[in-house]
Amino acid sequence: MTAPASLPQPLPGLPPLLDIRELSAYLGVPVSTIYDWRARGLGPRAYRFGKHLKFAVADVTAWIEAQRDPAPSSSPGRR
């Protein structure tokens, strides 16, 4: 039996990149949703290499943080 193929490791000093399927799996949304977000200017920034999209992990992390709901306000008298 052969060992499963491992993913290529990023080169030292270069940011890791995700392809659209990896990003889809990570976010738990269909690939088509990511394409829709891109068409509407809502998704994380990407690099285009020919027909391939790649997403820097740092850009994805920043985009995820920007999606966070604001903390609930603790104004007195409101429940």
Side-chain angles (χ1 to χ4, degrees), residues 6 8 10 15 20 31 34-35 39 53 57-58 67 74-76:
S6 63
I20 197 156
V31 169
I34 297 171
Y35 282 122
L53 291 174
V57 171
Q67 306 314 303
S74 59
S75 58

PDB file of all heavy atoms in Angstrom, residues 6 8 10 15 20 31 34-35 39 53 57-58 67 74-76:
ATOM      1  N   SER A   6       0.895  13.939   0.000  1.00  0.00           N
ATOM      2  CA  SER A   6       0.737  15.083   0.893  1.00  0.00           C
ATOM      3  C   SER A   6       0.650  16.354   0.071  1.00  0.00           C
ATOM      4  O   SER A   6       1.110  16.415  -1.060  1.00  0.00           O
ATOM      5  CB  SER A   6       1.906  15.154   1.875  1.00  0.00           C
ATOM      6  OG  SER A   6       3.107  15.350   1.179  1.00  0.00           O
ATOM      7  N   PRO A   8       1.634  19.997  -1.125  1.00  0.00           N
ATOM      8  CA  PRO A   8       2.941  20.655  -1.192  1.00  0.00           C
ATOM      9  C   PRO A   8       3.057  21.692  -0.085  1.00  0.00           C
ATOM     10  O   PRO A   8       2.100  22.395   0.220  1.00  0.00           O
ATOM     11  CB  PRO A   8       2.952  21.302  -2.576  1.00  0.00           C
ATOM     12  CG  PRO A   8       1.565  21.249  -3.075  1.00  0.00           C
ATOM     13  CD  PRO A   8       0.813  20.233  -2.283  1.00  0.00           C
ATOM     14  N   PRO A  10       4.363  25.156   1.542  1.00  0.00           N
ATOM     15  CA  PRO A  10       4.791  26.455   1.007  1.00  0.00           C
ATOM     16  C   PRO A  10       6.278  26.667   1.234  1.00  0.00           C
ATOM     17  O   PRO A  10       6.855  26.144   2.186  1.00  0.00           O
ATOM     18  CB  PRO A  10       3.956  27.467   1.796  1.00  0.00           C
ATOM     19  CG  PRO A  10       3.443  26.733   2.981  1.00  0.00           C
ATOM     20  CD  PRO A  10       3.450  25.271   2.653  1.00  0.00           C
ATOM     21  N   PRO A  15       3.805  33.439   1.645  1.00  0.00           N
ATOM     22  CA  PRO A  15       2.538  33.186   2.341  1.00  0.00           C
ATOM     23  C   PRO A  15       1.819  31.985   1.731  1.00  0.00           C
ATOM     24  O   PRO A  15       1.859  31.774   0.526  1.00  0.00           O
ATOM     25  CB  PRO A  15       1.740  34.474   2.104  1.00  0.00           C
ATOM     26  CG  PRO A  15       2.323  35.073   0.883  1.00  0.00           C
ATOM     27  CD  PRO A  15       3.771  34.657   0.857  1.00  0.00           C
ATOM     28  N   ILE A  20      -9.675  27.713  -4.653  1.00  0.00           N
ATOM     29  CA  ILE A  20     -11.068  28.017  -4.362  1.00  0.00           C
ATOM     30  C   ILE A  20     -11.785  26.854  -3.683  1.00  0.00           C
ATOM     31  O   ILE A  20     -12.645  27.053  -2.827  1.00  0.00           O
ATOM     32  CB  ILE A  20     -11.808  28.512  -5.624  1.00  0.00           C
ATOM     33  CG1 ILE A  20     -13.108  29.204  -5.226  1.00  0.00           C
ATOM     34  CG2 ILE A  20     -12.026  27.378  -6.610  1.00  0.00           C
ATOM     35  CD1 ILE A  20     -13.625  30.174  -6.223  1.00  0.00           C
ATOM     36  N   VAL A  31     -18.566  26.423  -3.681  1.00  0.00           N
ATOM     37  CA  VAL A  31     -17.668  27.179  -4.559  1.00  0.00           C
ATOM     38  C   VAL A  31     -18.448  28.279  -5.275  1.00  0.00           C
ATOM     39  O   VAL A  31     -17.956  29.402  -5.428  1.00  0.00           O
ATOM     40  CB  VAL A  31     -16.968  26.235  -5.565  1.00  0.00           C
ATOM     41  CG1 VAL A  31     -16.251  27.016  -6.644  1.00  0.00           C
ATOM     42  CG2 VAL A  31     -16.001  25.312  -4.845  1.00  0.00           C
ATOM     43  N   ILE A  34     -18.613  31.511  -3.400  1.00  0.00           N
ATOM     44  CA  ILE A  34     -17.391  32.317  -3.450  1.00  0.00           C
ATOM     45  C   ILE A  34     -17.322  33.079  -4.767  1.00  0.00           C
ATOM     46  O   ILE A  34     -16.989  34.267  -4.783  1.00  0.00           O
ATOM     47  CB  ILE A  34     -16.154  31.441  -3.230  1.00  0.00           C
ATOM     48  CG1 ILE A  34     -16.221  30.824  -1.820  1.00  0.00           C
ATOM     49  CG2 ILE A  34     -14.869  32.255  -3.402  1.00  0.00           C
ATOM     50  CD1 ILE A  34     -15.193  29.773  -1.543  1.00  0.00           C
ATOM     51  N   TYR A  35     -17.654  32.421  -5.878  1.00  0.00           N
ATOM     52  CA  TYR A  35     -17.685  33.120  -7.166  1.00  0.00           C
ATOM     53  C   TYR A  35     -18.710  34.259  -7.136  1.00  0.00           C
ATOM     54  O   TYR A  35     -18.462  35.350  -7.650  1.00  0.00           O
ATOM     55  CB  TYR A  35     -18.007  32.161  -8.304  1.00  0.00           C
ATOM     56  CG  TYR A  35     -16.837  31.309  -8.742  1.00  0.00           C
ATOM     57  CD1 TYR A  35     -16.920  29.925  -8.709  1.00  0.00           C
ATOM     58  CD2 TYR A  35     -15.652  31.882  -9.197  1.00  0.00           C
ATOM     59  CE1 TYR A  35     -15.855  29.128  -9.122  1.00  0.00           C
ATOM     60  CE2 TYR A  35     -14.582  31.102  -9.608  1.00  0.00           C
ATOM     61  CZ  TYR A  35     -14.695  29.728  -9.570  1.00  0.00           C
ATOM     62  OH  TYR A  35     -13.637  28.958  -9.971  1.00  0.00           O
ATOM     63  N   ALA A  39     -18.022  38.276  -7.669  1.00  0.00           N
ATOM     64  CA  ALA A  39     -18.718  39.069  -8.685  1.00  0.00           C
ATOM     65  C   ALA A  39     -19.346  40.315  -8.065  1.00  0.00           C
ATOM     66  O   ALA A  39     -19.438  41.355  -8.718  1.00  0.00           O
ATOM     67  CB  ALA A  39     -19.790  38.222  -9.366  1.00  0.00           C
ATOM     68  N   LEU A  53      -7.683  30.853  -9.378  1.00  0.00           N
ATOM     69  CA  LEU A  53      -7.723  31.810  -8.284  1.00  0.00           C
ATOM     70  C   LEU A  53      -6.999  31.213  -7.091  1.00  0.00           C
ATOM     71  O   LEU A  53      -7.164  30.029  -6.784  1.00  0.00           O
ATOM     72  CB  LEU A  53      -9.167  32.117  -7.881  1.00  0.00           C
ATOM     73  CG  LEU A  53     -10.004  32.898  -8.868  1.00  0.00           C
ATOM     74  CD1 LEU A  53     -11.445  32.981  -8.382  1.00  0.00           C
ATOM     75  CD2 LEU A  53      -9.435  34.291  -9.059  1.00  0.00           C
ATOM     76  N   VAL A  57      -3.764  33.143   2.809  1.00  0.00           N
ATOM     77  CA  VAL A  57      -4.366  32.857   4.106  1.00  0.00           C
ATOM     78  C   VAL A  57      -4.510  34.140   4.923  1.00  0.00           C
ATOM     79  O   VAL A  57      -5.526  34.351   5.590  1.00  0.00           O
ATOM     80  CB  VAL A  57      -3.543  31.787   4.859  1.00  0.00           C
ATOM     81  CG1 VAL A  57      -4.021  31.625   6.289  1.00  0.00           C
ATOM     82  CG2 VAL A  57      -3.618  30.451   4.118  1.00  0.00           C
ATOM     83  N   ALA A  58      -3.536  35.037   4.851  1.00  0.00           N
ATOM     84  CA  ALA A  58      -3.607  36.300   5.597  1.00  0.00           C
ATOM     85  C   ALA A  58      -4.798  37.149   5.124  1.00  0.00           C
ATOM     86  O   ALA A  58      -5.488  37.765   5.937  1.00  0.00           O
ATOM     87  CB  ALA A  58      -2.314  37.078   5.449  1.00  0.00           C
ATOM     88  N   GLN A  67     -15.939  40.235   8.864  1.00  0.00           N
ATOM     89  CA  GLN A  67     -17.321  39.766   8.827  1.00  0.00           C
ATOM     90  C   GLN A  67     -17.934  39.614  10.212  1.00  0.00           C
ATOM     91  O   GLN A  67     -19.129  39.380  10.347  1.00  0.00           O
ATOM     92  CB  GLN A  67     -17.418  38.393   8.114  1.00  0.00           C
ATOM     93  CG  GLN A  67     -16.813  38.340   6.738  1.00  0.00           C
ATOM     94  CD  GLN A  67     -17.198  39.510   5.867  1.00  0.00           C
ATOM     95  OE1 GLN A  67     -18.373  39.759   5.636  1.00  0.00           O
ATOM     96  NE2 GLN A  67     -16.210  40.240   5.396  1.00  0.00           N
ATOM     97  N   SER A  74     -24.064  47.277  25.703  1.00  0.00           N
ATOM     98  CA  SER A  74     -24.546  47.051  27.077  1.00  0.00           C
ATOM     99  C   SER A  74     -25.125  48.349  27.617  1.00  0.00           C
ATOM    100  O   SER A  74     -24.778  48.806  28.679  1.00  0.00           O
ATOM    101  CB  SER A  74     -23.424  46.537  27.961  1.00  0.00           C
ATOM    102  OG  SER A  74     -22.369  47.469  27.971  1.00  0.00           O
ATOM    103  N   SER A  75     -26.033  48.954  26.836  1.00  0.00           N
ATOM    104  CA  SER A  75     -26.646  50.193  27.294  1.00  0.00           C
ATOM    105  C   SER A  75     -27.677  49.887  28.375  1.00  0.00           C
ATOM    106  O   SER A  75     -28.436  48.926  28.268  1.00  0.00           O
ATOM    107  CB  SER A  75     -27.294  50.934  26.124  1.00  0.00           C
ATOM    108  OG  SER A  75     -28.255  50.117  25.505  1.00  0.00           O
ATOM    109  N   PRO A  76     -27.705  50.696  29.438  1.00  0.00           N
ATOM    110  CA  PRO A  76     -28.643  50.445  30.559  1.00  0.00           C
ATOM    111  C   PRO A  76     -30.090  50.604  30.089  1.00  0.00           C
ATOM    112  O   PRO A  76     -30.395  51.438  29.240  1.00  0.00           O
ATOM    113  CB  PRO A  76     -28.280  51.495  31.609  1.00  0.00           C
ATOM    114  CG  PRO A  76     -27.366  52.459  30.940  1.00  0.00           C
ATOM    115  CD  PRO A  76     -26.881  51.838  29.663  1.00  0.00           C
TER     116      PRO A  76
END
